[in-house]
């Protein structure tokens, strides 16, 4: 049972890291090291409507999920975005 939980935790961590890498690709000048699950993405200098549209496209192409701009606006952190997409 402990091993199964460890594997689930590892898979969750890998999914988080993959999401952060995909999210970071939407930015031209923001270093990936600035983006963590706790990053308040609205505070990133490059954040704007074009990046927001990129998040919508990423959700659809990378994860097969449809999200809206209003749903993105309701998120605060990168982790919130991950959970929004992951729980669709």
């Amino acid at each position: 049972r402990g091993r199964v939980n460890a594997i689930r935790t590892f898979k969750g961590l890998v999914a988080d890291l993959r999401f952060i890498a995909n999210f970071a690709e939407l930015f031209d000048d923001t270093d990936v090291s600035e983006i963590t699950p706790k990053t308040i993405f609205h505070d990133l200098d490059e954040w704007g409507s074009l990046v927001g549209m990129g998040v919508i496209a990423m959700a659809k192409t990378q994860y097969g999920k449809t999200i809206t701009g209003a749903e993105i606006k309701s998120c605060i952190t990168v982790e919130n975005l991950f959970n929004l997409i992951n729980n669709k």
Side-chain angles (χ1 to χ4, degrees):
R1 211 181 223 317
R3 185 169 186 219
V4 170
N5 287 337
I7 291 170
R8 284 187 187 137
T9 300
F10 178 75
K11 285 182 179 180
L13 179 61
V14 169
D16 286 348
L17 293 173
R18 188 174 299 129
F19 181 81
I20 289 171
N22 289 336
F23 183 77
E25 286 182 15
L26 300 174
F27 296 87
D28 293 325
D29 299 323
T30 303
D31 191 85
V32 69
S33 67
E34 293 181 53
I35 300 173
T36 71
K38 301 299 181 197
T39 299
I40 300 172
F41 62 89
H42 298 281
D43 290 347
L44 295 170
D45 288 340
E46 285 188 85
W47 179 258
S49 59
L50 287 178
V51 177
M53 289 173 33
V55 171
I56 291 170
M58 176 187 75
K60 188 67 171 173
T61 60
Q62 298 289 321
Y63 301 94
K65 309 289 178 77
T66 301
I67 61 172
T68 66
E71 289 173 317
I72 293 171
K73 285 181 183 178
S74 73
C75 295
I76 307 284
T77 65
V78 173
E79 183 176 35
N80 296 149
L81 275 175
F82 173 78
N83 289 334
L84 168 69
I85 294 168
N86 197 43
N87 293 327
K88 281 269 179 171

